Amino acid sequence: MNTRKFFCTLLVLLAFATGAFAARKPAELRGGMLSYLGTTEEAFQQSVDELNSVMRVSMMGVGFSRNYAADVLEMLKVFQENRYVVTFFDSLTAMLMALDSGKVDEISLPEITARYVMKNDAGYKILFALRMPSAIAFGFRNDNTALRDEFNKAITAMKADGTLKGLEGKYIGNGTDFEADSAAFTKFDGAETIKVAVTGDMPPVDYINEKGAAAGYNTAVISEIGKRLKKNVEIINIEAGARSASLTSGRADVIFWYRTTEGVEFPKEIAVNDNPVNKVINDTTEGVILSEPYYRWEKVLFLTK
């Protein structure tokens, strides 16, 4: 083959390869998560797409021979090979049903809730884990700073005297062995009643037991706070997606949990810890103020079937 013909052939092959590469789209991994109330699904998706692009660039030249944990390796491969497509869900039940029916490929949950889900259905398994230091706090209307301050005082005291830690051990445990009965609520004649909304969407932290009653860690915490504040407590059941609406509408005075996420953390070698997702994670809306956090976790687990 003469030189001219060789280069013509090479150009044709390169053009074909370039066209094929451009036409190829990354596979989609359809993920579900409980709604973040302070952002939209569209805004969250845009940030995930930006993160995907950053990950692909920053991971060039980073091999998988490093001594990462297996779940981190799996996570890196997912972001390198797939476009992660997000769906928000207003309840844990709806999200699990979507995974069971194949409408999503995986769901993300706080580690303790993920382990509770796996305990109750052996068909679920961990796809990968991600460090996402987070906490939960009570929510109040922004004009109810007095009640927020009372809760903060009680939470601080319960941390100091070991009450929160004791309730955590009893009502959360390892996510599979915990107290499932509802805590007792003290009745104070003539005292103010506060309406507290629970979701049951973050068991065993926020939990509805087999009798349909609000139970778990949250009810134990609010029972103790009610005693300390000498206030009566009325429990209202809602879905996670209705948290802010229930509060700002006046249906509830207190919402059991809002996530206060410190940010998604990747291995340092990937160099994307200042990632786009962290700029949109916000689990509160206007008109809502938060208490001091009263429970924390370090990891989010991504479950599949």
Side-chain angles (χ1 to χ4, degrees):
M1 181 183 296
N2 61 41
T3 301
R4 182 177 180 181
K5 182 178 288 187
F6 171 79
F7 279 109
C8 286
T9 302
L10 182 60
L11 286 172
V12 170
L13 289 173
L14 285 173
F16 178 79
T18 302
F21 181 80
R24 186 183 53 156
K25 295 181 179 179
E28 289 190 350
L29 178 72
R30 301 165 301 165
M33 61 182 63
L34 289 174
S35 300
Y36 280 92
L37 302 181
T39 190
T40 64
E41 188 177 275
E42 292 76 15
F44 200 94
Q45 183 64 58
Q46 181 178 350
S47 70
V48 169
D49 287 339
E50 292 175 12
L51 177 60
N52 264 136
S53 298
V54 172
M55 288 284 285
R56 289 194 184 99
V57 172
S58 65
M59 286 168 60
M60 291 177 63
V62 177
F64 292 113
S65 60
R66 299 176 184 269
N67 189 28
Y68 293 140
D71 54 2
V72 175
L73 289 176
E74 191 62 39
M75 177 271 292
L76 295 176
K77 291 178 182 178
V78 165
F79 276 92
Q80 193 174 45
E81 299 170 2
N82 300 276
R83 177 178 183 249
Y84 188 74
V85 180
V86 177
T87 299
F88 279 179
F89 291 91
D90 285 341
S91 73
L92 177 60
T93 299
M95 189 162 65
L96 290 173
M97 289 175 62
L99 181 57
D100 292 346
S101 65
K103 292 182 179 179
V104 295
D105 303 308
E106 61 79 24
I107 59 174
S108 60
L109 291 167
E111 182 174 14
I112 200 71
T113 300
R115 298 203 180 282
Y116 168 86
V117 168
M118 289 189 291
K119 170 70 174 179
N120 286 274
D121 187 337
Y124 296 106
K125 60 183 180 180
I126 299 173
L127 179 60
F128 60 86
L130 197 60
R131 257 190 60 80
M132 191 173 180
S134 305
I136 50 176
F138 293 105
F140 309 82
R141 286 185 296 278
N142 62 2
D143 61 356
N144 204 352
T145 56
L147 185 60
R148 188 272 314 273
D149 293 345
E150 288 184 277
F151 267 63
N152 279 346
K153 185 177 179 180
I155 291 169
T156 299
M158 291 164 67
K159 287 178 180 178
D161 65 21
T163 300
L164 274 183
K165 184 60 68 176
L167 294 177
E168 182 180 323
K170 180 178 180 180
Y171 287 92
I172 297 178
N174 58 7
T176 61
D177 182 17
F178 60 91
E179 175 60 62
D181 287 335
S182 181
F185 289 90
T186 303
K187 178 70 174 177
F188 298 97
D189 292 337
E192 176 188 1
T193 296
I194 53 175
K195 297 176 289 183
V196 182
V198 303
T199 71
D201 289 318
M202 197 181 286
V205 180
D206 198 353
Y207 174 68
I208 304 296
N209 65 19
E210 293 180 355
K211 301 174 184 177
Y217 177 67
N218 274 343
T219 53
V221 171
I222 195 65
S223 172
E224 179 64 25
I225 290 177
K227 291 177 187 176
R228 295 187 182 218
L229 301 184
K230 292 183 170 53
K231 296 181 188 291
N232 296 315
V233 175
E234 177 186 345
I235 298 294
I236 300 170
N237 292 330
I238 63 168
E239 288 187 342
R243 283 171 287 150
S244 291
S246 295
L247 191 61
T248 56
S249 69
R251 184 183 176 197
D253 301 308
V254 182
I255 300 296
F256 254 133
W257 63 272
Y258 286 86
R259 287 166 290 193
T260 59
T261 304
E262 297 173 6
V264 182
E265 296 182 8
F266 293 100
K268 292 180 180 179
E269 289 87 345
I270 307 304
V272 292
N273 283 329
D274 184 21
N275 71 66
V277 171
N278 290 342
K279 298 176 183 177
V280 299
I281 292 176
N282 181 10
D283 199 26
T284 58
T285 55
E286 289 187 16
V288 176
I289 54 176
L290 302 182
S291 72
E292 294 294 323
Y294 60 95
Y295 178 71
R296 300 178 62 83
W297 65 85
E298 291 296 317
K299 281 186 178 181
V300 168
L301 301 190
F302 290 69
L303 302 186
T304 189
K305 262 201 164 182

